[in-house]
Amino acid sequence: MKTVSEAIKTVLEHINPCGTEEVSIFDSAGRVLAEDVYSNRDHPPYDVSAMDGYAVRSEDIKDASKEHPAVLRIVEDIMAGSMPQKTIQTGEAARIMTGAPVPQGADTVVRVEDTDTDGTVVKIFTPSSRGTDIRRKGENLREGETVLHRGMDIKPAEVGILAMVKKKTVRVGRKPVVAVLSTGDELEGLDEEFDPLKIPDANSYTLMAQLALTGAEPELIGIARDRKDELRDKLLQALKCDAVVVSGGVSVGHHDFVKETIKELGIDMKFWRVAIRPGHPFAFGISQEGTPIFALPGNPVSTLVCFEVFVVPAIRKMLGAKRLFRKAIKVTVGGMVKDKKGRTNFMRVRIENTPKGTVARLTGRQGSGILMNVVGADALLIVPEEYDRLEDGDSAVCQLLCIQSFQERPAVSEV
Ligand code: AMP
Ligand code: MG
């Protein structure tokens, strides 16, 4: 049986990027950049003032104080967007607005709060060293430099940079279309009539949500009953997509036909099991046409966790992303965590900042059918194969569960 690391490696060896497409800047957030982006300008284009105040020569005000202010003649008023006409000489100052160009001759800006004026002259009450409150030309962007790199995730700041360098359209990784298929006679489809004796299909919807939030385009195939012909038809339909995730039917149950059907379709399975908890019957293969297929165990928590661990990096690679994996954070374990040796366990935890540090606490009972233990969870606490417990206060690593995470109190209240 492969370890989790070996399985991730094998999966990624067989995954290729899905190609690229051009999208409008308006649609670029959440996509993965597929080109390097260069700056067509210096930004700021010249030294600008960071404050409303006076542009002066630092030499002129080096002895200034409240009692003995430096008195300078105002020679100009410089607004944001207008160019200075004068060079500041000894004994002179220019009134300057935030974002306005610093005039020749001046080497510092004194904020208006440290001055007083009658309109003709300005009194400066404090010295100010060279360069104070001046934003240097090109400190944000330098013309000709690569400012965004292929493989980066486009987030709001990246969108802002695209706008700054006038990229109205941008090349991004094409979203893989991923088929979602559930299997099982016991399943009740979302649109089927309520039957208290049936098991509601949750996995299709969990997986669609995970796919969408990972940047893929989910395609719902639906439920295949535990019959070979039905499974075969639905799998063939699913294999037309860029990738397939199928849940259920991969364990060793008598009616678990997924394995058999997969073999009959000539899919080259790279492995059938992984030393992971929850979800060791996780299987992965490649169809004859090169379509990857992820066969996830049916229990809802196993499905979700195996997706996070194995499918997320694969989707990220298909998107052309540089960072393939969910963020890992170091935590302190809160409360004792019991486990069995032999498999890497991904336990559902909430993460809290406490005086003891960043503490991860189990969300509740960890059964692989208890999807409610993932509701409200922030992360998966990793208990390595060789451990059968973690003690309260032990340090450990968590893999964050989702891209966006929120808490009840503002972060500043924790400073
Ligand atoms: P299986 O892997 O098919 O043996 O299923 C293992 C467990 O997961 C069984 O209790 C199934 O009822 C449950 N299960 C399988 N598929 C789904 C699904 N799509 N949604 C919710 N539970 C499921
Ligand atoms: Mg089943």
Side-chain angles (χ1 to χ4, degrees):
M1 192 153 52
K2 280 195 187 306
T3 64
V4 171
S5 305
E6 288 164 354
I8 292 172
K9 188 162 173 275
T10 304
V11 167
L12 290 176
E13 275 167 10
H14 294 93
I15 298 290
N16 299 307
C18 264
T20 65
E21 65 184 2
E22 194 84 5
V23 297
S24 152
I25 186 172
F26 294 108
D27 301 321
S28 64
R31 305 297 296 266
V32 175
L33 198 57
E35 61 176 323
D36 289 339
V37 174
Y38 299 91
S39 181
N40 63 346
R41 68 197 325 158
D42 284 330
H43 179 276
Y46 30 69
D47 292 355
V48 299
S49 176
M51 289 285 173
D52 292 336
Y54 292 86
V56 303
R57 301 168 74 102
S58 53
E59 183 61 23
D60 284 354
I61 62 166
K62 65 177 196 299
D63 300 320
S65 65
K66 192 81 200 165
E67 298 72 32
H68 303 286
V71 181
L72 304 172
R73 196 162 58 84
I74 302 170
V75 295
E76 192 177 9
D77 226 343
I78 311 165
M79 316 291 268
S82 69
M83 295 308 288
Q85 303 300 313
K86 305 225 167 92
T87 297
I88 302 301
Q89 312 286 348
T90 301
E92 295 179 347
R95 198 190 340 255
I96 193 164
M97 300 295 130
T98 304
V102 176
Q104 294 283 320
D107 61 14
T108 189
V109 169
V110 180
R111 50 187 200 137
V112 76
E113 292 88 333
D114 296 328
T115 68
D116 192 16
T117 183
D118 63 0
T120 313
V121 297
V122 58
K123 289 182 188 164
I124 309 267
F125 299 125
T126 56
S128 169
S129 56
R130 240 166 190 281
T132 303
D133 286 327
I134 294 179
R135 295 191 188 128
R136 290 294 171 199
K137 170 182 173 167
E139 74 173 20
N140 184 44
L141 301 176
R142 276 199 187 283
E143 185 183 340
E145 262 184 13
T146 314
V147 286
L148 302 175
H149 296 266
R150 174 197 301 257
M152 275 186 169
D153 291 285
I154 305 177
K155 294 173 295 201
E158 287 77 4
V159 176
I161 298 291
L162 290 173
M164 281 180 166
V165 304
K166 281 279 185 296
K167 288 275 296 174
K168 291 186 186 172
T169 67
V170 63
R171 192 145 281 277
V172 298
R174 183 172 71 76
K175 291 179 167 210
V177 179
V178 182
V180 176
L181 175 58
S182 288
T183 70
D185 279 337
E186 76 280 26
L187 297 183
E188 175 187 286
L190 190 59
D191 292 325
E192 284 171 5
E193 208 172 314
F194 173 79
D195 178 343
L197 299 180
K198 289 216 154 183
I199 302 296
D201 171 21
N203 294 350
S204 294
Y205 303 94
T206 303
L207 289 169
M208 299 242 300
Q210 285 179 294
L211 283 163
L213 292 175
T214 312
E217 195 81 67
E219 185 161 316
L220 182 61
I221 304 290
I223 300 169
R225 303 294 158 190
D226 289 323
R227 292 209 324 266
K228 265 196 337 201
D229 53 343
E230 194 172 330
L231 197 54
R232 186 189 157 85
D233 287 352
K234 292 237 154 84
L235 266 174
L236 280 171
Q237 191 190 335
L239 283 166
K240 291 184 186 135
C241 295
D242 295 308
V244 178
V245 288
V246 48
S247 73
V250 275
S251 41
V252 288
H254 190 59
H255 294 285
D256 287 342
F257 291 123
V258 172
K259 202 166 177 170
E260 231 176 294
T261 313
I262 278 178
K263 277 188 180 152
E264 282 173 21
L265 289 174
I267 294 165
D268 176 17
M269 293 309 284
K270 304 297 177 190
F271 58 82
W272 286 102
R273 302 168 126 242
V274 179
I276 183 173
R277 182 176 290 113
H280 78 290
F282 165 72
F284 170 75
I286 301 284
S287 79
Q288 286 169 343
E289 292 74 34
T291 309
I293 168 160
F294 302 89
L296 307 171
N299 275 308
V301 181
S302 310
T303 303
L304 185 148
V305 169
C306 286
F307 184 97
E308 287 295 306
V309 176
F310 303 110
V311 189
V312 166
I315 301 288
R316 298 277 299 159
K317 187 165 180 192
M318 292 173 106
L319 289 165
K322 182 154 184 281
R323 298 177 168 187
L324 302 185
F325 305 101
R326 291 273 198 240
K327 200 138 208 122
I329 58 165
K330 286 253 166 69
V331 295
T332 302
V333 177
M336 198 252 289
V337 173
K338 265 201 189 149
D339 190 19
K340 285 183 216 145
K341 284 188 189 175
R343 297 196 222 156
T344 307
N345 199 337
F346 290 78
M347 299 182 124
R348 284 65 72 196
V349 291
R350 252 189 292 280
I351 292 179
E352 251 180 275
N353 294 324
T354 74
K356 279 197 210 157
T358 308
V359 172
R361 232 172 255 288
L362 297 187
T363 49
R365 283 185 52 219
Q366 295 286 302
S368 62
I370 309 174
L371 190 56
M372 282 304 289
N373 73 34
V374 196
V375 171
D378 297 309
L380 299 171
L381 172 72
I382 301 175
V383 187
E385 275 185 9
E386 62 275 19
Y387 284 65
D388 60 2
R389 60 199 289 144
L390 293 176
E391 304 293 346
D392 181 64
D394 278 356
S395 34
V397 172
C398 278
Q399 161 172 339
L400 293 182
L401 258 177
C402 50
I403 309 147
Q404 294 200 312
S405 57
F406 300 98
Q407 59 181 29
E408 279 176 31
R409 288 173 298 148
V412 286
S413 68
E414 298 190 19
V415 175

